[in-house]
């Protein structure tokens, strides 16, 4: 079978809820990934930052194999010998006190909504069914009905109503708007430290610290969705560290397993998670020993192999070199660590065709929203590999024939 055959099969039998680039991948190692025709690409998406540790990291792979030969699933009806160690190691790394493990990012978001609502009724004293959660315009928190219900992107919502009530959207990056939106029924403020899917939008300096202060003053739980920004991507374990703050609740997912296995978690600094009592929330696979063993190793290699520091250093280098590209099609280059967005001007005609050109040149990138190319390679990338990427990127961004 060749690429064409695989693509035909997918399209014949699969729901078309994605519009992938037509490259059929079969093997990965570190920052590199190969298609079925033997072409090699530098992965500049890292599966939306789930593969921060690089493809098929050998130590994580070994942890997965060893654990899968011993015990994979017990359900939470019983305890297992990986869960407590996973909790302890994750809490130590993120300076948290409590963990609630789930599988996908969206499930972690749903979990946090349940927990802060319950906290609102039990602890803050909000009247029954009146709890309100504030979110930001252009947010991305996942794809469930409740989550798309508070998206401000019509494309994510259209045709999926009716939606869950109890959410209010305010502009991102504006602390004053948060202060004005809070009422006595507000239980939580849910925000991404950097809006990844919106096009790598970095808020003004001091925004997160101000938001945290405002939440504290008003007895509102401050919730950071670090599913994409967390675990080294921005050059810190959590992006909140750039602002010297600690969220009350933090969501992690994606790179928590280095791309081997779905696992997510809600991390808690205040006692919000304590309001959940036995039977009020759960998941058959959440906290299973295989996920925990994989995540423990994924966290360990992130630290032991210096990936977080490397992301900071290489990210700075990558951005500065991108800024040297004098293309008249570039509107703005922004980012932090190895989460980088290159926004093109409208006359560039959308980022998609640039991604297709980059693919032909050996770089796998994905457009976010219409006009932004995201560069987010695995955190193990080295300087000469960034130089290799830049050699491919520059001519594509300079190409006259594209406009
Ligand atoms: C990917 C993502 C999610 C959703 O995670 P899934 O595992 O796809 O459900 C939530 N929030 C942010 C910021 C994300 O990037």
């Amino acid at each position: 079978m060749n690429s064409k055959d695989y693509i035909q099969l997918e399209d014949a039998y699969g729901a078309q809820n994605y519009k992938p680039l037509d490259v059929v991948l079969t093997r990965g190692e570190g920052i590199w990934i190969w298609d079925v025709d033997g072409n090699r690409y530098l992965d500049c998406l890292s599966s939306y930052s789930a593969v921060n540790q690089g493809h098929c990291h050998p130590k994580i792979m070994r942890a997965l194999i060893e654990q899968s030969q011993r015990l994979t699933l017990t359900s939470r009806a019983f305890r297992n010998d990986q869960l407590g160690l996973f909790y302890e190691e994750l809490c130590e790394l993120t300076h948290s006190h409590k963990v609630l493990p789930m599988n996908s990012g969206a499930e972690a978001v749903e979990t946090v909504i349940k927990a802060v609502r319950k906290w609102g009724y039990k602890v803050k004293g909000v009247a029954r069914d009146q709890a309100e959660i504030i979110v930001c315009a252009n947010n991305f928190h996942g794809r469930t009905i409740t989550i798309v219900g508070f998206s401000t992107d019509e494309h994510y919502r259209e045709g999926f109503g009716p939606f869950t009530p109890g959410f209010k959207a305010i502009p991102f990056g504006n602390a004053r708007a948060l202060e004005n939106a809070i009422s006595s029924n507000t239980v939580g403020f849910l925000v991404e430290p950097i809006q990844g899917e919106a096009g790598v939008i970095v808020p003004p300096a001091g925004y997160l610290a101000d938001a945290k202060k405002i939440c504290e003053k008003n007895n509102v739980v401050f919730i950071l969705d670090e599913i994409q920004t967390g675990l080294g991507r921005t050059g810190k374990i959590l992006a909140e560290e750039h602002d010297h703050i600690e969220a009350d609740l933090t969501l992690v997912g994606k790179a928590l397993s280095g791309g081997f296995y779905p696992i997510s978690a809600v991390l808690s600094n205040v006692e919000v998670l304590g309001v959940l009592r036995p039977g009020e929330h759960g998941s058959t696979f959440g906290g299973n020993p295989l996920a925990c063993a994989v995540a423990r190793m994924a966290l360990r290699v992130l630290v032991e192999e210096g990936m977080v520091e490397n992301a900071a250093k290489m990210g700075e280098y990558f951005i500065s070199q991108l800024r040297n590209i004098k293309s008249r099609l570039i509107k703005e280059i922004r980012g932090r660590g190895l989460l980088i967005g290159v926004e093109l001007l409208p006359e560039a005609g959308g980022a998609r065709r640039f991604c297709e050109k980059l693919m032909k040149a050996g770089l796998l990138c994905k457009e976010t929203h219409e006009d932004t190319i995201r560069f987010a390679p695995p955190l193990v990338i080295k300087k000469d590999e960034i130089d290799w990427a830049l050699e491919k990127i520059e001519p594509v961004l300079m190409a006259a024939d594209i406009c």
Side-chain angles (χ1 to χ4, degrees):
M1 276 174 61
N2 63 21
S3 287
K4 236 196 197 117
D5 303 324
Y6 289 108
I7 291 167
Q8 262 170 10
L9 256 187
E10 259 192 54
D11 290 351
Y13 291 102
Q16 248 105 82
N17 56 325
Y18 278 90
K19 188 182 159 205
L21 292 179
D22 280 334
V23 56
V24 183
L25 302 166
T26 186
R27 182 165 75 84
E29 191 184 322
I31 63 166
W32 300 104
I33 197 156
W34 285 263
D35 71 13
V36 289
D37 302 323
N39 301 306
R40 186 183 78 157
Y41 305 88
L42 201 166
D43 184 358
C44 278
L45 183 65
S46 306
S47 306
Y48 300 94
S49 297
V51 191
N52 286 0
Q53 295 88 338
H55 288 280
C56 298
H57 192 291
K59 284 190 177 164
I60 309 176
M61 183 179 68
R62 227 169 297 131
L64 177 108
I65 292 171
E66 278 172 18
Q67 185 61 43
S68 68
Q69 288 168 336
R70 202 159 56 235
L71 183 67
T72 57
L73 184 61
T74 57
S75 87
R76 299 284 303 278
F78 313 108
R79 296 175 186 267
N80 72 69
D81 64 2
Q82 293 298 308
L83 190 60
L85 291 165
F86 165 63
Y87 285 169
E88 180 182 51
E89 289 161 17
L90 183 57
C91 280
E92 269 172 19
L93 188 65
T94 59
H95 310 289
S96 307
H97 300 131
K98 291 261 182 211
V99 184
L100 198 161
M102 296 296 284
N103 309 288
S104 68
E107 279 181 318
V109 175
E110 290 275 349
T111 301
V112 103
I113 292 167
K114 283 176 75 173
V116 290
R117 280 182 169 184
K118 189 126 210 169
W119 172 87
Y121 301 128
K122 279 202 155 168
V123 180
K124 183 163 175 169
V126 172
R128 190 193 164 111
D129 290 348
Q130 297 304 304
E132 216 169 66
I133 293 171
I134 297 173
V135 299
C136 285
N138 301 316
N139 68 71
F140 182 84
H141 298 288
R143 300 293 198 164
T144 64
I145 288 290
T146 292
I147 296 171
V148 299
F150 61 76
S151 167
T152 60
D153 188 330
E154 222 13 72
H155 182 57
Y156 293 162
R157 301 159 45 91
E158 178 56 32
F160 299 123
F163 297 115
T164 314
F167 299 91
K168 194 193 271 183
I170 60 168
F172 179 65
N174 183 337
R176 178 68 62 81
L178 172 63
E179 196 149 33
N180 293 338
I182 290 175
S183 76
S184 55
N185 289 333
T186 307
V187 295
F189 174 50
L190 170 64
V191 63
E192 300 154 82
I194 294 173
Q195 288 187 324
E197 293 316 294
V200 190
I201 311 294
V202 184
Y207 169 64
L208 293 175
D210 289 345
K212 159 93 185 167
K213 242 179 264 154
I214 291 165
C215 287
E216 232 164 60
K217 198 174 81 189
N218 292 282
N219 199 20
V220 166
V221 180
F222 181 61
I223 311 153
L224 280 181
D225 179 344
E226 297 240 22
I227 292 167
Q228 186 161 156
T229 54
L231 306 176
R233 176 51 58 188
T234 70
K236 301 272 186 193
I237 286 287
L238 295 174
E240 66 174 19
E241 293 167 43
H242 292 289
D243 295 80
H244 311 287
I245 56 162
E246 279 190 20
D248 299 316
L249 292 171
T250 302
L251 309 178
V252 290
K254 294 202 165 111
L256 189 49
S257 72
F260 276 83
Y261 195 91
I263 175 167
S264 65
V266 177
L267 308 172
S268 165
N269 271 332
V270 292
E271 285 308 70
V272 178
L273 284 178
V275 301
L276 294 175
R277 306 307 309 155
E280 293 177 350
H281 191 58
S283 158
T284 304
F285 278 81
N288 73 73
L290 183 56
C292 290
V294 168
R296 291 179 62 203
M297 188 54 83
L299 294 173
R300 201 166 132 188
V301 300
L302 207 57
V303 174
E304 282 185 359
E305 298 178 16
M307 294 180 196
V308 185
E309 297 77 14
N310 190 59
K313 230 192 288 164
M314 290 300 116
E316 208 168 292
Y317 177 68
F318 202 167
I319 286 197
S320 72
Q321 294 305 106
L322 283 169
R323 289 204 168 118
N324 284 340
I325 299 176
K326 298 292 173 231
S327 164
R328 58 189 178 79
L329 299 174
I330 296 176
K331 181 178 172 195
E332 191 183 34
I333 297 172
R334 51 186 179 248
R336 197 157 235 180
L338 281 169
L339 183 58
I340 301 168
V342 175
E343 186 177 347
L344 304 173
L345 289 164
E347 52 264 40
R352 173 82 181 194
R353 41 206 210 105
F354 290 85
C355 292
E356 276 162 6
K357 289 229 161 195
L358 287 168
M359 180 174 95
K360 291 204 180 85
L363 245 74
L364 289 186
C365 305
K366 187 74 168 70
E367 74 275 12
T368 87
H369 276 217
E370 281 299 293
D371 297 314
T372 303
I373 311 171
R374 173 172 26 197
F375 293 104
L379 310 185
V380 296
I381 195 166
K382 299 189 189 84
K383 183 171 172 294
D384 59 321
E385 293 161 339
I386 291 177
D387 289 334
W388 182 91
L390 288 159
E391 270 171 38
K392 314 282 170 194
I393 294 167
E394 177 158 19
V396 169
L397 287 175
M398 297 302 288
D401 68 330
I402 206 152
C403 24

